Amino acid sequence: MKVKHIIYFFAFLQWQFGISQYIAVDNTYTAENLVKQVLFNNSCGNVTNVSVSGGNWGNGQQSWGRFDANGSSFSFQDGIILSTGKIDSAVGPNTYIVSDDAPGWGGDSDLNQALGISNTFNATVLEFDFTPVTNNVSFDFILSSEQYLSNPTQNQCNYTDGFAFLIKPISSTNYQNIALVPNTNIPIKINTVRGPGTICPPANEQYFDAFNGVNHPTNFNGQTKSITAKANVVAGDLYHIKLVIADQGNEKYDSAIFLKGGSFSFDIDLGNDRTFANGNPVCFDESLTLDGTSFSATTYQWYFNNNIIPGETNSTLTLNPPYNSLSNGLYSVIVNAGDPCERRGDINLDFSDDLQAIDDTFVKCDEDQTQDGITQITATEIASIINDLFPTLPSNYNVALFANPTDSTPIPIPYTNSTAFTEILYAKITNFNCYANDAFPVNVSVQTFGEVINDETIGLCTGNTAVLQANLGYTYLWNTGETTSSISVTSAGTYSVILTNANSCTQTKTFTVIGSQIATLIDIVTTDFEDNNTAEIVVSAGGDYEFSLNGIDYQDSSIFYNLGEGEYTVYVNDKNGCGQITATFYILNYPKFFSPNYDGYNDEWTIKNLDKKGLLASKIYIFDRFGKLIHQIIPGEKGWNGTYNGKKIPADDYWFILELANGKTIKGHFALLR
């Protein structure tokens, strides 16, 4: 028994939950009750001559009636529904396409004429006469339709049902359609208000609500947002209004109009809101008169943010400068005409500030190396200019800088000044026309650093300290954190200092500290017995070295060319002042001739300095042109004096062979001159 009760309880909860998700409809309201009790829901208007027509299936189901949100998420709590099908079919969920049709259910000629069409079917019409008590009327509505397909084919993009809200003075034959896309003359239909997301082009998508899934309060595929229909009328005159919706082309894919309950209003029109958001605030120097004049009014009372404005009981309210932000808000008038009908007008007003330029000078340092007074002003700096100019500028103001006061195009960002050292720019408010003729001048002063700051490279000897001295006359900030004009360093690296002058302009000086040390000789590699003898000085790395063979003329290359035979001293100097080393080396070669005439010059032929290069174990053999051994020289001893067996031999060319201890031989020839 308990289990059965639990099952019933959960079934009841599910039923309750299902009901609360979808709208409910009521077919029992008469046309007069729908208008007077649901649409008006007040005593204003003197409604007469009410009628309704549409589809009637004879079983209590019809195409008009009252709806209720029924706890669902539908936008209106209650109101009137006019459909091209059964209103019972409008109840969610959205599970099938509604295409209801009643016998003999035709279209409407007034709708055809208003929309310029000729093929309407299944028209539902609610119409009545009324006498407005103000000069404008309005009411809120939503268009829902099965023709809002979330996955249409291309030929379905022009499917659209038609509806119109037609109003005219009772004496006129011409209707005015007020079911229009706001601020346009475009009639609202499925293809004039549609959102993006399908192959069909969007149109006025800001007024489209959504394509619906299954779980929606209504059984329609989509709907517009709440839109307000408005009409200007003459208070006290009699008008006729006709609310009509119909299928177009055929009776398929039904649509419906939901009229918000109690929204038919005779509120007083105080004009469009003038706000920062709309881009049309009341100007700081503007006097504004709000006119609440109403038909047959007996008393007026003006309000600010729903609080009575003392003493303001006339039909108009005049607002005069100066204004401030405390003046921003909702201004209202409530009119009494000696009847139960309360008439109200509302308008939201924001008031622009009377802007005063504070700091109209911007100092900018020339940051490039040319220091010519031409430099780039960044987006951040432009924002700073504007902030300094208007430090209390409200967030809803847009300010831009212009090169000339009459320009309509702001300067590019970033901006490079076109006049060296000084330039006038103009700040203008770009989103409110209150300042259309106001251009606030800004003096841009470009300061230069003055002195040219050059970077330096400094050597640092191992174990020593280097002093990095910046240019004098500035304030300093080193990348080490020190703030003196010079610092001492003991390690190689890159050091920089920001120099700031009296104009707060900066330059950065960079010191590249290179570690260095005195050279260590590793080897001297020579080539001998060549026409171009060379010597390469091989030293250890760790310094920046230069090389010389006389201690005066230095070269960066460690190789010396075209060296004759003899003894050489090489000087290796560290360019960074870490010291110098010297070394001796020898270049070997043989004389190309000798003349043994005992004059003290070239009297003997030999190869010198073999002992200096550790070649004492070498042997030198001299031959005549026929290959006969003439003489042998032992390194370190006397050379050949041009004799053979104690006798002078004739002048001629002679050949030699130098045999080294490692088995290598060097051959050549020379001339004996007499």
Side-chain angles (χ1 to χ4, degrees), residues 389-569:
L389 189 65
F390 305 119
T392 59
L393 186 73
S395 60
N396 39 44
Y397 282 70
N398 294 336
V399 182
L401 296 181
F402 297 79
N404 299 289
T406 57
D407 286 355
S408 58
T409 302
I411 61 174
I413 300 176
Y415 174 72
T416 299
N417 60 302
S418 57
T419 304
F421 302 108
T422 184
E423 187 160 322
I424 303 296
L425 298 177
Y426 298 87
K428 295 198 289 187
I429 310 299
T430 58
N431 60 331
F432 304 135
N433 59 12
C434 297
Y435 310 94
N437 298 319
D438 292 337
F440 301 91
V442 179
N443 179 32
V444 177
S445 176
V446 179
Q447 303 288 333
T448 58
F449 189 81
E451 183 179 4
V452 176
I453 303 299
N454 296 315
D455 296 337
E456 292 186 33
T457 299
I458 294 178
L460 176 62
C461 301
T462 302
N464 289 355
T465 298
V467 176
L468 310 183
Q469 178 64 59
N471 304 60
L472 298 177
Y474 306 99
T475 60
Y476 308 90
L477 178 60
W478 294 82
N479 61 347
T480 60
E482 294 164 279
T483 57
T484 53
S485 64
S486 65
I487 61 173
S488 297
V489 298
T490 57
S491 59
T494 300
Y495 299 85
S496 62
V497 57
I498 299 173
L499 290 77
T500 304
N501 68 8
N503 293 323
S504 297
C505 295
T506 62
Q507 286 286 327
T508 299
K509 182 180 180 71
T510 299
F511 293 86
T512 302
V513 178
I514 300 174
S516 193
Q517 60 187 8
I518 191 170
T520 299
L521 182 64
I522 295 177
D523 195 5
I524 299 177
V525 179
T526 62
T527 59
D528 301 293
F529 303 104
E530 302 286 348
D531 291 335
N532 178 14
N533 294 316
T534 64
E536 180 180 2
I537 316 303
V538 182
V539 296
S540 61
D544 186 10
Y545 304 115
E546 57 185 0
F547 305 84
S548 174
L549 292 181
N550 60 11
I552 299 173
D553 302 310
Y554 283 88
Q555 64 182 41
D556 291 333
S557 173
S558 62
I559 301 176
F560 295 92
Y561 299 93
N562 299 313
L563 299 180
E565 66 170 316
E567 178 181 345
Y568 291 88
T569 299

Side-chain angles (χ1 to χ4, degrees), residues 27-190:
N27 291 272
T28 64
Y29 274 67
T30 66
E32 189 163 344
N33 288 342
L34 284 175
V35 174
K36 292 183 177 181
Q37 297 179 16
V38 181
L39 185 59
F40 276 73
N41 197 23
N42 56 53
S43 58
C44 299
N46 190 25
V47 176
T48 59
N49 196 25
V50 183
S51 67
V52 67
S53 63
N56 193 324
W57 284 261
N59 57 359
Q61 294 186 341
Q62 54 199 27
S63 63
W64 70 88
R66 179 183 179 275
F67 74 88
D68 189 286
N70 195 34
S72 71
S73 61
F74 194 70
S75 298
F76 298 155
Q77 287 302 305
D78 64 1
I80 298 173
I81 176 174
L82 307 177
S83 178
T84 63
K86 301 174 184 178
I87 63 172
D88 296 78
S89 299
V91 178
N94 178 31
T95 54
Y96 65 94
I97 297 295
V98 179
S99 296
D100 296 329
D101 189 24
W105 192 9
D108 184 86
S109 60
D110 290 330
L111 177 62
N112 291 345
Q113 183 176 357
L115 299 183
I117 57 178
S118 60
N119 55 346
T120 57
F121 300 83
N122 299 354
T124 297
V125 180
L126 177 65
E127 51 189 328
F128 54 89
D129 297 337
F130 70 100
T131 302
V133 295
T134 64
N135 291 332
N136 63 91
V137 296
S138 65
F139 53 91
D140 301 332
F141 68 94
I142 291 172
L143 168 64
S144 295
S145 180
E146 294 287 37
Q147 292 179 339
Y148 279 126
L149 298 173
S150 60
N151 190 26
T153 60
Q154 190 66 52
N155 67 314
Q156 292 174 315
C157 290
N158 289 323
Y159 282 9
T160 181
D161 288 338
F163 80 99
F165 298 153
L166 305 175
I167 188 171
K168 67 176 183 177
I170 201 69
S171 59
S172 175
T173 58
N174 297 320
Y175 280 112
Q176 174 192 0
N177 181 21
I178 61 173
L180 304 174
V181 175
N183 303 313
T184 74
N185 292 318
I186 302 172
I188 294 177
K189 296 187 291 184
I190 282 75

Side-chain angles (χ1 to χ4, degrees), residues 218-497:
T218 72
N219 191 19
F220 292 105
N221 287 328
Q223 64 281 321
T224 68
K225 294 179 180 178
S226 174
I227 298 175
T228 300
K230 298 179 180 180
N232 295 323
V233 294
V234 177
D237 287 358
L238 183 62
Y239 284 80
H240 183 74
I241 192 166
K242 182 175 184 178
L243 312 176
V244 54
I245 185 170
D247 285 327
Q248 183 179 347
N250 57 48
E251 75 282 357
K252 305 299 183 184
Y253 290 88
D254 288 342
S255 301
I257 289 295
F258 292 87
L259 303 168
K260 183 178 181 180
S263 68
F264 202 101
S265 168
F266 295 104
D267 286 348
I268 297 167
D269 186 9
L270 297 179
N272 295 325
D273 290 344
R274 297 187 60 180
T275 62
F276 292 125
N278 292 341
N280 62 341
V282 181
C283 294
F284 62 90
D285 57 353
E286 175 185 359
S287 292
L288 177 67
T289 297
L290 303 177
D291 190 352
T293 302
S294 180
F295 174 70
S296 67
T298 57
T299 63
Y300 296 87
Q301 179 60 62
W302 290 90
Y303 294 78
F304 174 60
N305 288 336
N306 295 317
N307 297 312
I308 288 176
I309 303 177
E312 295 296 344
T313 57
N314 295 323
S315 61
T316 60
L317 173 67
T318 299
L319 304 171
N320 294 306
Y323 307 113
N324 57 50
S325 60
L326 298 178
S327 303
N328 300 342
L330 176 68
Y331 290 81
S332 310
V333 63
I334 294 180
V335 180
N336 189 296
D339 55 41
C341 176
E342 180 182 271
R343 308 161 200 180
R344 179 185 178 102
D346 293 316
I347 186 171
N348 286 294
L349 299 178
D350 289 335
F351 298 87
S352 63
D353 293 83
D354 183 8
L355 295 180
Q356 300 294 328
I358 304 301
D359 185 358
D360 59 0
T361 299
F362 173 71
V363 178
K364 163 74 177 179
C365 292
D366 193 341
E367 295 175 345
D368 55 52
Q369 292 299 318
T370 57
Q371 295 289 288
D372 56 0
I374 301 294
T375 192
Q376 188 180 85
I377 304 174
T378 66
T380 299
E381 289 169 334
I382 289 175
S384 177
I385 292 173
I386 294 171
N387 183 67
D388 291 344
L389 189 65
F390 305 119
T392 59
L393 186 73
S395 60
N396 39 44
Y397 282 70
N398 294 336
V399 182
L401 296 181
F402 297 79
N404 299 289
T406 57
D407 286 355
S408 58
T409 302
I411 61 174
I413 300 176
Y415 174 72
T416 299
N417 60 302
S418 57
T419 304
F421 302 108
T422 184
E423 187 160 322
I424 303 296
L425 298 177
Y426 298 87
K428 295 198 289 187
I429 310 299
T430 58
N431 60 331
F432 304 135
N433 59 12
C434 297
Y435 310 94
N437 298 319
D438 292 337
F440 301 91
V442 179
N443 179 32
V444 177
S445 176
V446 179
Q447 303 288 333
T448 58
F449 189 81
E451 183 179 4
V452 176
I453 303 299
N454 296 315
D455 296 337
E456 292 186 33
T457 299
I458 294 178
L460 176 62
C461 301
T462 302
N464 289 355
T465 298
V467 176
L468 310 183
Q469 178 64 59
N471 304 60
L472 298 177
Y474 306 99
T475 60
Y476 308 90
L477 178 60
W478 294 82
N479 61 347
T480 60
E482 294 164 279
T483 57
T484 53
S485 64
S486 65
I487 61 173
S488 297
V489 298
T490 57
S491 59
T494 300
Y495 299 85
S496 62
V497 57

